[in-house]
Amino acid sequence: MRNLLEIQKQLLPDLMETLKRRYTILHQIMLSDIIGRRTLAASLDMTERVLRAETDLLKSQGLIEIESVGMRISPAGRGLLDMLEPVAKSLFGLDELEEKIRTAYGLSKVIVVPGDCESSAFTKRELGRAGARALLGVMREGDTVAVTGGTTLAEMADQLTPPISPSYKDAWIVPARGGLGESMEIQANTIASTMAKRIGANYRLLHVPDLLSEDAYQSLALDSNIGEIVRLIRSSRIIVHGIGDAMEMTRRRKLDELTTADIQGDGAVAESFGYYFNEEGKVVHTMLTMGLRLEDILRTEVVIGIAGGGRKAKAIHAMLRFGQEDILVTDEAAAVIIGKEIDETASLIG
């Protein structure tokens, strides 16, 4: 089928655009469970008239079902998407982008989903789904997995599906660090418990603030219960983390103006695990947090980074330069920018 797609790209480029459009419509209906035509048209930046013609065709082929409350995918439509999934990346030209980033940074795997998660909730959901698959692809019985907080990791937790095998009843899901004081839904504690419940694993929670004073840190470090949980976190075989824009994270942490100015002055563009990184991937500022330390990350067997959106491309690229990622899950908007930066660097070296 891949060879057939390459032939069609050359001989029937108009047909390829139609195929991409219908695949995207069908895929987003599948991700939505059920959705109205107006909402879908807005999310795809498509007129309702054009979408109506496409969905009428999909309905006539038995690929979707249209009800009074909206459209949903049919079993036949879901089966067709499963058949197309192996070549979908080639259809959107994402397989070459994945390989370019993977090769440039020596990663074991790069997964790029179509779209921009900053402008599309469907892309965000697909990013979470891809992250969930990536985790289950490397997770083993008895593993300890540390996860950070954030909206993307929360979406990933929601997209985890209970596996038929193996059993994870001896595995542990733990938060990588304390809480930021934001919405409970995107706290690392909540995400860890959600993930564990969805796959039948165990979980422990870390009930401490993410940002600590020196006195508070030393006091908590002496607590036997906290110490036991922290040791479990630091023994994780797998880390799953989001990647934040540095300045956005200073706002979320409600840091004072002086600290924020220092972080900005140091050239920080990315934040993860409580560390701030510059464009070269070097740590330029460290927050005192209870949980994973830099040395724990350096010795962790599998590190999975999940983040997307064009505005986060520079932050994601900084984390790639940090050099500890094994698997990157991102979206097309960020990957295209990273790919261009790789090309520009290569041309300068050449």
Side-chain angles (χ1 to χ4, degrees), residues 177 180 210 249-255 271 274 276:
R177 63 190 197 198
L180 280 176
D210 183 58
M249 291 306 298
T250 63
R251 290 189 293 271
R252 286 175 58 183
R253 280 200 169 97
K254 298 179 175 62
L255 299 183
E271 187 279 340
Y276 288 83

Side-chain angles (χ1 to χ4, degrees), residues 86 153 183 189 223 322:
L153 270 293
S183 301
N189 275 337
D223 185 284
F322 173 55

Side-chain angles (χ1 to χ4, degrees), residues 2-20:
R2 189 177 296 275
N3 290 337
L4 179 59
L5 280 176
E6 291 301 320
I7 294 170
Q8 288 177 336
K9 283 180 182 178
Q10 297 178 56
L11 296 180
L12 299 165
D14 293 344
L15 179 61
M16 293 302 295
E17 289 304 313
T18 300
L19 179 57
K20 286 169 64 176

Side-chain angles (χ1 to χ4, degrees), residues 113-125 127 152 307-310 331-333:
V113 302
D116 183 346
C117 69
E118 288 175 355
S119 59
S120 170
F122 299 103
T123 301
K124 187 87 165 218
R125 189 174 300 174
L127 191 65
T152 304
D331 64 13
E332 184 179 4

